[in-house]
Every structure is written in structure tokens, then in C-alpha cells.
Amino acid sequence: MHTAEYFIEHLDLQPHVEGGYYRASYLSNDTFDEKRALWTSIYFLLKTGESLSLPSLNC
């Protein structure tokens, strides 16, 4: 079995500001607001014991 460090290195994952590691694997050519891709796919990894700090949404 591979370790988290193996995937971080081999997939070139970068630290995410809210926790974990990520890398975009696909960015669509279609745009949302002429600046951002309409949709993306990412690799995302949390190591054992890590947590993700997502902002809360007030709707």
C-alpha cells in the first residue's frame, strides 16, 4: 500500500489553504464569468488525522 507522501509526490499535489493537498486534473474551456473555468476536476488528499476547514455559508 502506498503512503500519503507517495501520492503527494507522484501526483504533484500542493497544500490547500483549507487543509489537505490538491491538484487540478482538468479545467473546462467554458467559463463562468470570463475568468474562471465553468467546471474543474481535482485530486484531493487528506492525511490520516488531518481535517478540512471549510467556510460556512449563510444563505
Side-chain angles (χ1 to χ4, degrees):
M1 179 180 272
H2 295 297
T3 64
E5 285 75 18
Y6 171 88
F7 289 105
I8 292 167
E9 180 181 335
H10 284 82
L11 295 174
D12 194 27
L13 302 179
Q14 301 300 311
H16 191 277
V17 296
E18 295 169 341
Y21 298 84
Y22 82 104
R23 180 175 69 89
S25 59
Y26 179 80
L27 298 172
S28 71
N29 291 326
D30 298 320
T31 58
F32 174 71
D33 59 7
E34 298 181 11
K35 298 176 192 172
R36 297 181 291 172
L38 182 60
W39 64 277
T40 63
S41 295
I42 65 168
Y43 292 115
F44 187 82
L45 180 141
L46 285 174
K47 291 182 180 180
T48 301
E50 286 185 332
S51 61
L52 182 62
S53 174
L54 293 174
S56 61
L57 299 174
N58 295 322
C59 298

